[in-house]
């Protein structure tokens, strides 16, 4: 009798082990419907900007990803390329995208800043790098829900120099108002599998060997209709912490291919040495500190009526 009980116990353990192995293998199948599929965050906005898109819709909305502590950078942007302006008869509006922080003092300061400037979009998620996809999608949701009348949208970062004059000029020349997406094109990028990298993506998160075409997250521009389309398709796309690749996955599903804004390079995600004439013919340059931003912007605006020597 004891032998029979022992055999039954062993058989039960074997069956249980096989079941556990099966379930573990099943859950490791990449991109099963589950935690790695993007789910739109339905909670209310903590802060909303004061923008009347119904009566006076902007031609271009610049969505700037920022963190709670980057108060100086936001102030400098408000006083340089982020000023509300009319360029070639077109209204340009800049807004900042923020998450939350565990610091009560910082949260209070940001809430006061938002009431003062009315240019902050905020939801309740922690303001860390790996939540950049949530932050970007929050901005796209705001465009979709509150400002679908905007002709164009730029997503950019707080350490970028943006030449809104040249950008507006090129968008008007391009004359593409639907299904348009542009920036610094990345057409054949590969996932980084080195765990020590900031941009590491595991095969569990993304099992394929190549990304679809996308644009560098430092600065990209799209027509207003793309915001709605990306927002609507995003819930069926595997979630990635790399927001520019995630948006690229949405574009691939929508069959929207990123394209050049100009025959010459105008987006510089690696940065660019400053010269007044050079910066008059670029759209975006990375790694610009707040003090330099003020100097560059003043030099650019002071030179707008001048001729540059032929290259």
């Amino acid at each position: 009798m004891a032998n029979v009980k022992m055999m039954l116990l062993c058989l039960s353990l074997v069956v249980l082990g096989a079941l556990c192995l099966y379930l573990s293998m099943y859950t490791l199948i990449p991109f099963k419907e589950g935690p790695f599929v993007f789910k739109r965050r339905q909670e209310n906005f903590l802060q909303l900007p004061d923008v009347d898109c119904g009566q006076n819709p902007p031609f271009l909305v610049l969505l700037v990803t920022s963190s709670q502590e980057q108060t100086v950078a936001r102030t400098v942007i408000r006083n340089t390329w982020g000023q509300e302006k009319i360029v070639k008869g077109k209204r340009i509006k800049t807004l900042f995208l923020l998450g939350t922080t565990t610091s009560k003092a910082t949260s209070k300061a940001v809430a006061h800043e938002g009431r003062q400037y009315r240019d902050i979009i905020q939801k309740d998620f922690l303001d860390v790098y790996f939540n950049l996809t949530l932050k970007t999608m929050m901005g796209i949701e705001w465009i979709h829900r509150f400002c679908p009348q905007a002709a164009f949208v730029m997503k950019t970062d707080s350490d970028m120099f943006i030449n809104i004059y040249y950008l507006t000029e090129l968008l008007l020349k391009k004359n593409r108002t639907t299904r348009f997406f542009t920036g610094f094109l990345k057409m054949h990028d590969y996932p980084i599998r080195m765990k020590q990298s900031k941009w590491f993506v595991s095969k569990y998160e993304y099992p394929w060997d190549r990304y679809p075409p996308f644009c560098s997250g430092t600065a990209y521009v799209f027509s207003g209709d793309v915001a709605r389309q990306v927002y609507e398709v995003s819930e069926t796309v595997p979630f990635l912490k790399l927001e520019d690749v995630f948006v690229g996955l949405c574009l691939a599903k929508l069959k929207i291919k990123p394209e050049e804004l100009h025959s010459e390079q105008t987006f510089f995600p690696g940065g660019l040495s400053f010269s007044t004439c050079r910066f008059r013919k670029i759209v975006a340059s990375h790694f610009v500190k707040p003090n330099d931003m003020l100097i560059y912007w003043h030099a650019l605006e002071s030179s707008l009526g001048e001729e540059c020597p032929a290259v």
Side-chain angles (χ1 to χ4, degrees), residues 6-19:
M6 184 62 69
M7 288 178 63
L8 289 172
L9 178 60
C10 291
L11 183 61
S12 298
L13 290 172
V14 170
V15 171
L16 181 61
L19 180 61

Side-chain angles (χ1 to χ4, degrees), residues 22-192:
Y22 171 79
L23 290 174
S24 65
M25 289 177 65
Y26 181 80
T27 55
L28 286 174
I29 296 173
F31 298 146
K32 272 287 179 187
E33 285 293 320
F36 285 97
V37 174
F38 180 78
K39 298 297 179 185
R40 294 199 288 260
R41 300 176 67 87
Q42 299 297 333
E43 75 275 5
N44 293 329
F45 288 87
L46 299 179
Q47 292 199 62
L48 285 170
D50 183 15
V51 183
D52 186 356
C53 290
Q55 295 296 320
N56 186 20
F59 171 76
L60 171 65
V61 177
L62 297 107
L63 300 174
V64 184
T65 57
S66 184
S67 64
Q68 296 270 331
E69 295 77 18
Q70 292 176 330
T71 309
V72 173
R74 290 192 294 275
T75 300
V76 168
I77 289 171
R78 289 185 184 107
N79 288 290
T80 55
W81 55 263
Q83 291 178 343
E84 184 166 348
K85 282 185 175 291
I86 304 296
V87 178
K88 294 185 177 295
K90 303 296 183 180
R91 182 182 175 217
I92 316 295
K93 183 71 178 178
T94 300
L95 304 172
F96 297 96
L97 307 178
L98 289 173
T100 57
T101 178
T102 55
S103 168
K104 291 183 178 180
T106 304
S107 297
K108 187 176 180 180
V110 167
H112 178 267
E113 180 185 346
R115 289 192 296 270
Q116 180 180 358
Y117 294 103
R118 306 297 297 170
D119 61 0
I120 290 176
I121 303 172
Q122 185 182 28
K123 276 192 174 186
D124 187 13
F125 55 83
L126 200 59
D127 220 333
V128 293
Y129 176 77
F130 289 145
N131 279 338
L132 191 53
T133 297
L134 298 180
K135 187 178 289 186
T136 299
M137 290 306 301
M138 174 184 69
I140 288 175
E141 178 187 356
W142 183 85
I143 294 290
H144 168 62
R145 289 178 56 186
F146 300 104
C147 202
Q149 301 90 342
F152 294 97
V153 182
M154 169 183 263
K155 179 268 162 185
T156 189
D157 297 335
S158 56
D159 60 349
M160 297 292 293
F161 183 95
I162 306 298
N163 184 342
I164 56 172
Y165 299 106
Y166 196 50
L167 173 57
T168 302
E169 178 184 330
L170 292 179
L171 287 174
L172 290 171
K173 284 182 179 178
K174 194 74 174 179
N175 195 26
R176 283 286 308 281
T177 56
T178 60
R179 294 177 63 82
F180 178 65
F181 196 98
T182 190
F184 183 83
L185 272 55
K186 291 177 170 282
M187 306 302 285
H188 307 288
D189 267 38
Y190 300 90
I192 295 175

Side-chain angles (χ1 to χ4, degrees), residues 200-257:
F200 165 72
V201 172
S202 69
K203 288 211 168 188
Y204 179 42
E205 295 172 277
Y206 191 84
W208 299 286
D209 294 328
R210 182 174 291 182
Y211 289 136
F214 67 100
C215 291
S216 166
T218 53
Y220 50 78
V221 183
F222 49 96
S223 53
D225 65 310
V226 172
R228 173 186 59 79
Q229 294 176 61
V230 167
Y231 179 73
E232 289 178 347
V233 81
S234 63
E235 210 168 22
T236 67
V237 172
F239 180 83
L240 275 184
K241 58 184 175 282
L242 306 180
E243 56 90 15
D244 46 7
V245 179
F246 178 78
V247 172
L249 288 168
C250 293
L251 296 176
K253 196 152 192 177
L254 294 165
K255 294 182 170 53
I256 296 175
K257 187 176 180 180

Side-chain angles (χ1 to χ4, degrees), residues 244-303:
D244 46 7
V245 179
F246 178 78
V247 172
L249 288 168
C250 293
L251 296 176
K253 196 152 192 177
L254 294 165
K255 294 182 170 53
I256 296 175
K257 187 176 180 180
E259 56 188 278
E260 297 285 4
L261 178 60
H262 192 280
S263 57
E264 297 181 4
Q265 183 178 349
T266 57
F267 293 82
F268 292 86
L272 188 67
S273 297
F274 179 79
S275 76
T276 304
C277 286
R278 186 73 187 90
F279 269 53
R280 282 173 62 176
K281 292 297 182 182
I282 71 162
V283 168
S285 181
H286 198 195
F287 303 121
V288 181
K289 297 176 181 178
N291 286 342
D292 291 333
M293 191 91 73
L294 289 165
I295 296 168
Y296 296 175
W297 184 255
H298 177 72
L300 177 72
E301 287 216 306
S302 300
S303 73

